[in-house]
Amino acid sequence: MPLDAICLQAVLNELRPQLLGLRIDKIQQPARDQIILVLRGKRLLLNAGAGAPRIQLTETLRDNPAEPPMFCMLLRKHLSGAKIVGLTQPPLERLVRLELDASDELGRSGRRVLVLEAMGRRSNLILLDGEGRVLDCLRRVDTDMSANRPVLPGLFYEPPAAAGRLPVTAETKNGFSSKFSSAPAEHTLDRFLLDHYFGLSPLMARELAFQAAGDVDTRLFEQNGPESLWHALEEFLARIQESRFTPVCLLRDGKPMDFACMPVKQYGPAAEAVEFASFSALMDFFYEARERQERTRQRGADLLRAASTARDRLRRKLAAQEKEYAETQNRDRLRICGDLITANLYRMERGAARLDCENYYAGNAPVSIPLDPLLTPQQNAAKYYKRYTKAKTAEKYLRLQMEQAAQDLSYMESVLAEIAQAETEQDFSDIRMELQESGFLRKQGKKKVPKRASNPWEFRTSGGFRVLVGRNNRQNDQLTTKSADRRDLWFHTQKIHGSHVILCTGGAVPTDQDLLEAAKLAAWYSQARESGNVPVDYTEVRNVKKPSGARPGMVIYSTCRTLYVTPEKPPVS
């Protein structure tokens, strides 16, 4: 996890001069795992969530519930007006003790301690009294959950047990050399460090291995000795001792992937290292982006599930209609049965289960016709005629219904392609609104949500022409039928769902390279992204028409030309 013990030490070094001596004005609990202490306008966030435990000053505003949770009420009772007098961390532990001078209901002063255990899935936030007893905690741990270390009100607080390995800050050169020579030679350098020392995160262990050998996968037997690794470790320990910390966030494709308290070079050009002014600003950026990505992923998963369900329902519906349509093609058999029953009324008896006679439509070949014993011969004949008439009528309507179902299925496939390309929350909101307006999703509530305008992707060709790419079907319609000039060029993958791409020419003549680059964009933003030699049709916008009543994004066009291209990832728009 990003906030290891050493990074936590750097954060506390930054927070102490800003927090010591301040009094708590407000206490809020915006989420189950989050507590915010407001101190003279500063907002101190204590997060005990399994995925993001941390302590930091935050500028991000969070909505509070209408009714404060019980733990928040308890903290308000004991800590409102309390002054922060200490902010400590046991050596190389992911644990913070917030020492506070507080007063009880009678005005008597006393000591309270708020303990943050930032330990992954075992993270917790615990309030202690002056004697070290637990007043309450965010997550109560009974003896069934942990027989060795229960955390319950009334019990004395026991810190987590030590890891049993040597703290990395306590190592000496001789001890390091001894451990290095006795370690299995096939182990990698980072595994050696993690196996023998407490306080190192996997990221820092890989970084030390990279600094020592130039590769994170180097093994012990590939090293001539411990000198290079010890030198890297010694420099690392000197940084800790001198508190030479730098807030660094690692970005991949513009998205945060990790952060550290010192420069990280192991990823090379695959990741961008961005320095921040403070660790609090770094963590605000990192976790806000990660939470936004998670919300986007969740929204995308929900929307994908709803669209996939609608598509599968359409497939089943179309299959049933095709089966029923195939049955109507054999309807003449029903009319013939009615004719044969009518022709043989003289030889039939009421209550018979079948009629064996000659089929004069087929050269008097013998035929056996099932009958309903409860009906008279005339009623059985009428029943076959009725089924024939029904099948004849159904053929006409089924053909129309199958065409509509096929169009809806094609439309839903295009929506699934949109979802696969969506990147932001607004993209998913636009697609959801599109499905609601098309009737495939139920509208939530009666309140109208204002429509926010989202912009299409925009690129530039090597010749300087603008290229606009629709993010969804509604935007495709907007681009093609309203925004684009009639002289602009329209691109779309041939018989493959994808975005509408507009090459804005303004009447100028683009080069073959401009056409090729626009076609590659059309291929990339389509279901053929992973394919090669994709056919892309292009024509002037004036040749593209939208049929009346067609689904969003559905158009027809004529007089097109075709380019065969291999999709390429576009530059940042």
Side-chain angles (χ1 to χ4, degrees):
M1 76 185 229
L3 190 63
D4 58 27
I6 297 171
C7 196
L8 180 60
Q9 178 179 330
V11 173
L12 296 184
N13 287 349
E14 177 182 282
L15 292 180
R16 283 191 191 96
Q18 301 183 66
L19 297 181
L20 294 183
L22 298 185
R23 292 190 179 275
I24 298 175
D25 298 324
K26 294 180 182 179
I27 301 175
Q28 302 167 343
Q29 188 174 354
R32 181 179 183 274
D33 301 319
Q34 297 177 355
I35 293 294
I36 291 180
L37 306 179
V38 181
L39 314 100
R40 290 187 188 173
K42 300 180 186 293
R43 299 168 58 81
L44 179 65
L45 171 66
L46 300 165
N47 191 314
R54 63 193 187 276
I55 179 172
Q56 64 164 113
L57 290 174
T58 180
E59 299 292 334
T60 303
L61 298 179
R62 296 168 172 83
D63 294 331
N64 293 305
E67 294 291 333
M70 293 300 296
F71 188 66
C72 179
M73 296 296 290
L74 178 81
L75 293 181
R76 289 178 180 179
K77 173 183 176 182
H78 289 276
L79 302 184
S80 291
K83 182 169 68 173
I84 299 178
V85 296
L87 194 60
T88 60
Q89 174 194 14
L92 296 184
E93 291 282 359
R94 288 178 294 169
L95 186 148
V96 179
R97 291 176 61 92
L98 201 63
E99 309 278 346
L100 301 131
D101 280 344
S103 302
D104 59 16
E105 297 89 340
L106 301 177
R108 295 173 297 189
S109 61
R111 176 60 59 93
R112 296 288 183 267
V113 180
L114 193 57
V115 180
L116 172 65
E117 296 179 351
M119 300 177 179
R121 61 185 180 85
R122 297 190 300 275
S123 298
N124 208 344
L125 194 59
I126 306 164
L127 180 64
L128 310 179
D129 64 12
E131 297 178 352
R133 285 191 178 89
V134 177
L135 293 173
D136 209 343
C137 50
L138 201 60
R139 294 184 182 87
R140 295 184 178 183
V141 181
D142 57 24
T143 53
D144 292 335
M145 300 169 66
S146 175
N148 298 326
R149 185 176 173 264
V151 182
L152 294 170
L155 300 181
F156 280 100
Y157 174 74
E158 293 291 338
R165 289 167 290 165
L166 181 70
V168 66
T169 51
E171 184 56 290
T172 62
K173 185 175 182 180
N174 290 335
F176 180 84
S177 300
S178 176
K179 292 181 179 67
F180 190 93
S181 59
S182 61
E186 68 276 7
H187 282 188
T188 57
L189 299 184
D190 62 324
R191 179 177 175 183
F192 163 76
L193 294 171
L194 293 172
D195 286 347
H196 288 85
Y197 299 108
F198 172 67
L200 275 176
S201 68
L203 176 66
M204 285 296 103
R206 292 196 304 271
E207 183 63 21
L208 292 174
F210 179 80
Q211 292 177 10
D215 190 351
V216 295
D217 296 322
T218 302
R219 301 183 183 277
L220 298 187
F221 68 80
E222 298 175 311
Q223 295 291 101
N224 294 327
E227 287 75 17
S228 60
L229 185 59
W230 169 251
H231 178 72
L233 181 61
E234 195 174 31
E235 171 61 24
F236 176 70
L237 297 178
R239 276 183 172 273
I240 298 174
Q241 184 68 27
E242 299 167 11
S243 296
R244 288 189 283 120
F245 298 120
T246 305
V248 176
C249 185
L250 300 173
L251 306 179
R252 178 175 290 165
D253 296 330
K255 299 177 181 178
M257 55 178 284
D258 213 333
F259 67 81
C261 57
M262 56 190 68
V264 176
K265 300 179 181 179
Q266 59 185 276
Y267 296 104
E272 178 188 2
V274 179
E275 293 188 9
F276 280 75
S278 67
F279 282 98
S280 291
L282 163 63
M283 287 189 283
D284 258 355
F285 170 79
F286 180 86
Y287 287 107
E288 185 177 352
R290 200 168 77 168
E291 289 169 6
R292 184 168 59 251
Q293 291 172 13
E294 178 61 24
R295 287 196 305 269
T296 301
R297 186 198 64 80
Q298 186 61 42
R299 286 194 178 192
D302 294 343
L303 197 57
L304 178 63
R305 186 163 48 249
S308 298
T309 300
R311 178 201 59 190
D312 294 342
R313 185 167 57 246
L314 284 170
R315 283 178 175 173
R316 292 192 298 269
K317 178 181 178 180
L318 184 58
Q321 289 173 344
E322 289 174 345
K323 181 180 178 181
E324 189 176 351
Y325 183 81
E327 292 174 353
T328 65
Q329 302 308 296
N330 198 25
R331 62 180 180 274
D332 282 343
R333 182 184 61 83
L334 300 173
R335 179 182 56 79
I336 291 172
C337 288
D339 289 348
L340 294 179
I341 292 173
T342 303
N344 289 277
L345 289 176
Y346 68 94
R347 58 191 291 189
M348 295 176 61
E349 295 181 1
R350 183 166 184 165
R354 59 194 320 103
L355 168 65
D356 295 319
C357 62
E358 297 78 23
N359 184 1
Y360 52 80
Y361 287 100
N364 291 327
V367 64
S368 182
I369 302 174
L371 302 174
D372 187 343
L374 300 179
L375 301 179
T376 65
Q378 292 85 349
Q379 289 173 332
N380 271 292
K383 181 178 179 180
Y384 275 103
Y385 287 134
K386 183 176 181 180
R387 288 173 60 190
Y388 168 76
T389 304
K390 182 178 179 181
K392 185 177 180 180
T393 306
E395 180 186 20
K396 179 177 67 173
Y397 289 104
L398 278 172
R399 189 183 298 113
L400 297 175
Q401 291 173 0
M402 288 166 57
E403 290 175 0
Q404 183 62 50
Q407 291 176 7
D408 289 346
L409 181 59
S410 177
Y411 168 69
M412 196 53 61
E413 293 285 359
S414 72
V415 170
L416 288 169
E418 291 175 15
I419 296 173
Q421 297 172 7
E423 298 175 348
T424 65
E425 289 189 61
Q426 186 59 41
D427 290 342
F428 291 115
S429 297
D430 290 344
I431 296 172
R432 182 177 294 277
M433 189 178 300
E434 176 187 328
L435 289 175
Q436 289 174 346
E437 292 178 352
S438 300
F440 288 98
L441 283 184
R442 184 179 301 174
K443 294 185 178 181
Q444 299 176 348
K446 298 181 180 179
K447 184 178 179 181
K448 284 190 176 182
V449 179
K451 296 182 180 180
R452 293 169 53 191
S454 62
N455 297 320
W457 288 296
E458 183 173 339
F459 304 93
R460 289 274 177 181
T461 66
S462 55
F465 290 95
R466 273 202 321 157
V467 183
L468 302 177
V469 182
R471 293 175 180 265
N472 52 67
N473 283 321
R474 293 171 63 211
Q475 201 170 86
N476 288 338
D477 282 349
Q478 176 70 24
L479 274 177
T480 303
T481 62
K482 296 183 180 179
S483 301
D485 188 283
R486 289 172 56 83
R487 299 168 295 174
D488 292 342
L489 293 180
W490 178 89
F491 291 75
H492 196 281
T493 45
Q494 186 181 97
K495 298 180 181 179
I496 301 172
H497 295 298
S499 296
H500 293 199
V501 175
I502 304 296
L503 178 61
C504 302
T505 63
V509 179
T511 64
D512 290 344
Q513 181 63 28
D514 294 322
L515 297 176
L516 188 64
E517 291 173 5
K520 287 182 177 180
L521 283 171
W524 178 262
Y525 288 103
S526 75
Q527 287 183 324
R529 176 177 290 189
E530 305 299 327
S531 305
N533 203 31
V534 178
V536 177
D537 293 339
Y538 72 96
T539 184
E540 289 186 339
V541 171
R542 73 177 81 228
N543 299 323
V544 183
K545 310 295 180 185
K546 185 172 183 64
S548 177
R551 292 288 187 189
M554 301 298 176
V555 295
I556 56 176
Y557 55 95
S558 58
T559 63
C560 69
R561 295 182 179 181
T562 304
L563 291 173
Y564 290 85
V565 298
T566 298
E568 290 184 6
K569 185 176 181 180
V572 178
S573 59

